[in-house]
Amino acid sequence: MAQMSVTSKNFSFVPFILFTLILSLFAQTGLSRPPFACDPRFAPTRNLPFCNKALLIRERVYDLVRRLTLPEKIALLVNNAAEVPRLGINRYEWWSEALHGVSNVGPGTKFGGAFPRATSFPQVITTAASFNETLWELIGRAVSDEARAMYNGGTAGLTYWSPNVNIFRDPRWGRGQETPGEDPHTAAKYAARYVKGLQGEVRGRLKVAACCKHYTAYDLDNWKNVDRFHFNAKVSQQDLEDTYQVPFKACVVEGKVASVMCSYNQVNGKPTCADPDLLRGTIRGQWGLNGYIVSDCDSVGVFFESQHYTRTPEDAAAIAIKSGLDLDCGPFLAVHTMGAIQQGKLREANVNEALVNTLAVQMRLGMYDGEPSQQPYGYLGPLDVCAPAHNQLALEAARQGIVLLKNTNRALPLSIRRHPTVAVIGPNSDVTVTMIGNYAGIACGYTTPVQGIARYVKTIHQPGCADVACRRNILIGNAEAAARQADATVLVVGLDQSIEAETIDRYDLLLPGHQQDLVSLVCRASRGPCTVVLMSGGPVDISFAVRDPRVSAIMWAGYPGQNGGTAIADVLFGQTNPGGKLPMTWYPQDYANKVPMTDMAMRADPSRGYPGRTYRFYKGPVLFPFGFGLSYTTFTHSLAHAPSTVLVSLVTPNGFKNSTLSSEGVKVTRANCGALSLGVHVDVKNTGSMDGTHTLMVFSSPPAGKWAANKQLVGFEKVHLVAGSQGRVKVDIQVCNHLSVVDQFGVRRIPMGEHSLHIGDLKHTLSLSLQL
């Protein structure tokens, strides 16, 4: 981009005083937010091009950048961007969070006044277990309605650094709860749909601007003296393309996300926020990001001060901006960018380019369109926050995310007739904030598990442990006594943010402290069926409970959100038939003993005793596999229609022998991908006695031989069926996306030969050949 000149504009001091008085009046009267910029009452700017809504956004942005002085530009490179009074532009805080509801973790959002709280949906790992794309987008819409309403009321921003779409690679990662799980296809679908729900779009204007984070190969916080600020993730090009990059690409290409956040860690020796190949080359170049790239908070300072990647702070500022970073969460660029320019390490044109990207997003949000109430989303207000419809959606999301793991002799659902008194026991049996996980705000209200169960039957409550750490066993006796008095027992155990969270990775996969003793002793004492309900973000080795015949049933609820107690009770008593599926593999404790978190390799390597990671590559025993989940009813599948042969054509003339292409596979970049969409039709029948929702999952595996790998998920659909009924489900298979594999050089190819589709117990062979 050409160097932009800096032009000082004369302005009248009197209109500015009048303008500030107007802002003060808004603040004192509690009216909706005054314009961020381009207030028609502010004479110095109302006729300037950057305030002209009839012009293209890029024209408006260029006009604004030309009017800024260099110090003003530098002050806009950080999250707490300074005001520009002479142009009527207010201070702006870029950092807000909306992982599963409007959060006050970031400084851009404040609860209070007309907005004391916001709807807290289930944590992402729970919502992911629904495998319901429609639900994910609906949650995004509800969250952004509340976010925009709070912005209109002056208590929130419009740029939300959510969602977290990192792959849940290791079960010990404390932030795995924030992600859609271990599968790249699922994470990609979640990323695109949640971003679409958040951002919306009316006449080219965004409702809020989402941000996909943390780019890339980021999935270790603090494990055995290795922290995210010093970790160098050594990743093969194969794993990078095949696993770690997949959800980020979907965010940008399919979700049209407005922002991507680079992470703290290094990837193969380079900080992600200082890697031009990852930022400028991939995100903006290959994927075509229409938006800005932001650092994780203090990432630029981290790679200078902690990783010692550059010799001087000015070098760090220069390499970050030239690599493609547009915005710094933290003060580093505000402090050191001027020095980088003065030392000739950076040009003002580089700063201009960064500002074009950030300011364009603000303009797409309507922040330079004058009065917020006159904009497409200006009607949203306090009644749209904690709205009844959002509360119901949060409940439905929790219901759909609960996974039934064990149900011996149909112990569940409980009966209000046969089980009129239920003992509710455990450190998570009467919790509130535990249910919403991390990156949450102030929930509209809570229904705890014991409160939810009490809506059905009489309850006897005992905590059993003082907290989830359960360091002492002195309360277990009272819990046993309660179980002896009741007709059924429900134990709500698991983890919370003191065990797994940002900066806290686990060392093992076991229940903390004496929780295992609590479960075993209480279920032994229970005179009726004994159900274990687990709250956790990551998997837990509960093999003892799986084996124990006195443990009748096991449910995983993740962190189920503000209505978690109601959802758990509805599933326990059969008001809801569970249909959730695990979005991550549950490993035995032995896995944690053998596999270091620092090993980023996905594929198994028998030569060094490495078992691999996730269901796609892991070679070893599991407690529960990815995609596992029981129902109160039963379903059968039959293949109605699927092609048996597929011809792959090329978009360019074949420069190689057909035999070579067939043996090496066709590069996706050379295939005519638009003509390679397949429809697989499956008939699903509810063969049980209860209505239920089924998640149809389609996996594929490539031809045997050099392409051999475990099966991978390529499609999923939800279908609700009344007892005894049948429905037909169509799953679209995109050959280039779903039947391709990545070779050792990071090149995605379509293998020729016989691919297998796996749908439950069904297996269908699909033969791919090159069209001559």
Side-chain angles (χ1 to χ4, degrees):
M1 187 178 71
Q3 176 79 31
M4 291 184 178
S5 62
V6 177
T7 306
S8 297
K9 298 293 180 182
N10 294 324
F11 66 98
S12 170
F13 188 69
V14 174
F16 178 68
I17 291 293
L18 178 61
F19 178 63
T20 56
L21 288 174
I22 292 172
L23 295 184
S24 175
L25 179 62
F26 271 103
Q28 294 174 17
T29 58
L31 298 175
S32 62
R33 177 192 291 275
F36 170 76
C38 297
D39 190 322
R41 293 160 294 192
F42 186 49
T45 62
R46 62 188 173 201
N47 294 320
L48 296 181
F50 76 82
C51 290
N52 185 349
K53 292 184 286 185
L55 296 177
L56 295 175
I57 283 179
R58 186 154 292 269
E59 294 178 281
R60 298 174 67 189
V61 171
Y62 282 172
D63 178 74
L64 175 56
V65 172
R66 277 192 291 265
R67 295 175 189 278
L68 297 169
T69 66
L70 180 56
E72 288 170 341
K73 293 174 183 178
I74 292 173
L76 297 178
L77 292 174
V78 291
N79 63 289
N80 56 337
E83 71 272 25
V84 186
R86 66 184 186 82
L87 295 178
I89 299 172
N90 292 324
R91 181 180 298 274
Y92 181 67
E93 175 56 66
W94 286 82
W95 180 8
S96 291
E97 303 279 355
L99 183 68
H100 53 110
V102 179
S103 168
N104 57 356
V105 171
T109 300
K110 307 291 183 185
F111 288 106
F115 303 96
R117 54 188 65 87
T119 307
S120 192
F121 292 89
Q123 180 60 288
V124 176
I125 196 69
T126 302
T127 306
S130 71
F131 283 90
N132 187 339
E133 291 185 59
T134 302
L135 176 68
W136 300 338
E137 186 167 340
L138 287 174
I139 292 173
R141 290 182 191 174
V143 172
S144 59
D145 275 356
E146 299 197 359
R148 178 60 86 150
M150 293 179 69
Y151 172 81
N152 291 342
T155 64
L158 287 177
T159 45
Y160 287 83
W161 293 346
S162 305
N164 178 346
V165 298
N166 292 118
I167 297 297
F168 196 175
R169 171 187 61 100
D170 191 290
R172 293 161 289 189
W173 187 32
R175 302 189 73 175
Q177 61 181 288
E178 303 173 28
T179 77
E182 70 179 35
D183 176 60
H185 177 76
T186 306
K189 289 293 185 183
Y190 179 88
R193 292 300 288 267
Y194 188 67
V195 165
K196 287 180 179 178
L198 276 180
Q199 294 192 161
E201 194 152 342
V202 174
R203 298 192 296 276
R205 293 295 188 265
L206 299 172
K207 195 195 304 182
V208 304
C211 174
C212 289
K213 63 185 186 184
H214 312 80
Y215 180 83
T216 183
Y218 171 87
D219 47 24
L220 179 150
D221 269 58
N222 192 348
W223 182 80
K224 294 189 175 181
N225 298 318
V226 179
D227 65 45
R228 56 186 174 170
F229 306 122
H230 299 86
F231 182 51
N232 176 24
K234 297 178 181 178
V235 186
S236 69
Q237 287 302 307
Q238 186 175 38
D239 285 340
L240 195 65
E241 173 66 25
D242 187 42
T243 299
Y244 297 110
Q245 297 285 68
V246 173
F248 290 100
K249 182 177 181 179
C251 261
V252 177
V253 177
E254 299 172 34
K256 309 298 182 185
V257 75
S259 176
V260 175
M261 175 184 286
C262 51
S263 53
Y264 290 116
N265 57 289
Q266 295 185 359
V267 173
N268 299 326
K270 289 184 179 182
T272 64
C273 293
D275 190 332
D277 293 329
L278 287 177
L279 304 188
R280 190 176 299 278
T282 301
I283 298 177
R284 195 169 298 283
Q286 294 178 27
W287 299 345
L289 174 70
N290 179 20
Y292 68 97
I293 299 173
V294 61
S295 73
D296 203 341
C297 295
D298 294 319
S299 285
V300 184
V302 163
F303 77 67
F304 168 67
E305 295 165 0
S306 299
Q307 298 173 7
H308 308 295
Y309 186 70
T310 63
R311 187 177 60 85
T312 69
E314 291 78 16
D315 289 332
I319 194 172
I321 294 174
K322 289 195 290 188
S323 294
L325 187 71
D326 302 308
L327 185 70
D328 179 17
C329 177
F332 197 91
L333 291 187
V335 175
H336 300 291
T337 299
M338 183 65 81
I341 293 174
Q342 291 171 343
Q343 295 172 27
K345 296 173 179 178
L346 188 69
R347 295 185 304 132
E348 185 173 353
N350 301 125
V351 174
N352 292 342
E353 188 175 1
L355 290 179
V356 165
N357 294 325
T358 55
L359 295 174
V361 169
Q362 286 187 322
M363 289 192 179
R364 291 167 63 198
L365 287 163
M367 294 172 67
Y368 288 79
D369 290 352
E371 175 58 50
S373 65
Q374 304 302 313
Q375 296 178 30
Y377 304 104
Y379 62 90
L380 294 166
L383 294 179
D384 297 291
V385 181
C386 290
H390 296 174
N391 181 67
Q392 185 62 33
L393 184 62
L395 173 58
E396 183 59 28
R399 287 168 172 163
Q400 292 193 28
I402 290 174
V403 183
L404 182 62
L405 300 174
K406 177 181 178 180
N407 194 19
T408 304
N409 298 322
R410 297 184 178 179
L412 294 181
L414 299 176
S415 165
I416 59 175
R417 179 178 58 82
R418 296 192 308 273
H419 311 109
T421 302
V422 174
V424 185
I425 293 165
N428 282 337
S429 59
D430 196 28
V431 293
T432 54
V433 294
T434 294
M435 296 194 298
I436 61 178
N438 69 356
Y439 278 82
I442 301 174
C444 303
Y446 296 100
T447 302
T448 71
V450 68
Q451 290 172 337
I453 294 169
R455 293 178 175 179
Y456 284 91
V457 294
K458 179 183 176 182
T459 60
I460 305 172
H461 179 241
Q462 285 290 333
C465 299
D467 50 37
V468 295
C470 204
R471 294 183 178 89
R472 304 177 67 188
N473 60 5
I474 58 175
L475 299 178
I476 294 180
N478 292 338
E480 291 177 276
R484 293 189 189 99
Q485 301 172 44
D487 304 298
T489 300
V490 175
L491 282 142
V492 191
V493 295
L495 314 177
D496 66 9
Q497 301 306 304
S498 69
I499 305 295
E500 55 174 359
E502 185 171 5
T503 74
I504 304 175
D505 296 328
R506 289 187 285 162
Y507 288 173
D508 62 53
L509 303 179
L510 304 174
L511 283 172
H514 290 282
Q515 283 197 48
Q516 179 170 329
D517 295 336
L518 174 67
V519 170
S520 297
L521 292 172
V522 166
C523 284
R524 180 186 301 172
S526 180
R527 76 181 193 201
C530 187
T531 298
V532 174
V533 178
L534 281 162
M535 280 191 199
S536 71
V540 181
D541 182 353
I542 51 165
S543 52
F544 78 94
V546 175
R547 294 190 301 264
D548 191 342
R550 291 160 298 193
V551 177
S552 309
I554 303 172
M555 284 167 39
W556 175 73
Y559 294 122
Q562 64 183 43
N563 291 325
T566 301
I568 289 169
D570 288 348
V571 172
L572 287 171
F573 287 92
Q575 182 69 29
T576 297
N577 188 348
K581 304 290 185 183
L582 291 178
M584 70 294 203
T585 302
W586 285 40
Y587 304 89
Q589 168 58 25
D590 188 54
Y591 182 89
N593 295 336
K594 292 181 177 178
V595 180
M597 273 194 77
T598 49
D599 196 322
M600 300 295 291
M602 298 301 298
R603 288 158 173 78
D605 185 356
S607 67
R608 60 187 181 95
Y610 186 67
R613 294 186 179 278
T614 77
Y615 79 98
R616 299 168 67 219
F617 305 109
Y618 173 63
K619 308 289 186 182
V622 300
L623 183 60
F624 296 109
F626 170 87
F628 182 81
L630 303 173
S631 171
Y632 294 152
T633 189
T634 54
F635 299 94
T636 60
H637 308 112
S638 59
L639 192 63
H641 172 72
S644 298
T645 60
V646 177
L647 293 177
V648 178
S649 62
L650 304 179
V651 293
T652 57
N654 186 3
F656 300 93
K657 293 181 180 180
N658 289 336
S659 59
T660 302
L661 284 171
S662 295
S663 63
E664 295 184 354
V666 176
K667 288 184 179 180
V668 165
T669 54
R670 297 195 62 199
N672 185 8
C673 292
L676 293 174
S677 179
L678 314 175
V680 176
H681 300 258
V682 180
D683 288 333
V684 183
K685 186 173 183 179
N686 183 341
T687 56
S689 58
M690 187 174 182
D691 299 352
T693 299
H694 180 60
T695 300
L696 178 74
M697 292 183 162
V698 179
F699 296 83
S700 76
S701 55
K706 65 178 291 186
W707 305 110
N710 289 0
K711 63 184 182 181
Q712 62 181 12
L713 186 68
V714 297
F716 54 86
E717 293 290 340
K718 301 287 287 189
V719 57
H720 182 80
L721 297 170
V722 300
S725 71
Q726 178 173 298
R728 180 163 294 182
V729 180
K730 180 187 177 186
V731 178
D732 292 318
I733 306 294
Q734 305 293 327
V735 172
C736 289
N737 292 335
H738 302 144
L739 302 185
S740 61
V741 297
V742 177
D743 68 18
Q744 61 181 323
F745 304 106
V747 177
R748 189 169 288 276
R749 298 176 180 273
I750 306 170
M752 298 297 103
E754 292 191 347
H755 295 247
S756 297
L757 298 181
H758 308 263
I759 309 163
D761 295 332
L762 294 176
K763 182 178 179 181
H764 175 71
T765 300
L766 193 62
S767 180
L768 270 62
S769 59
L770 190 63
Q771 188 173 35
L772 300 178

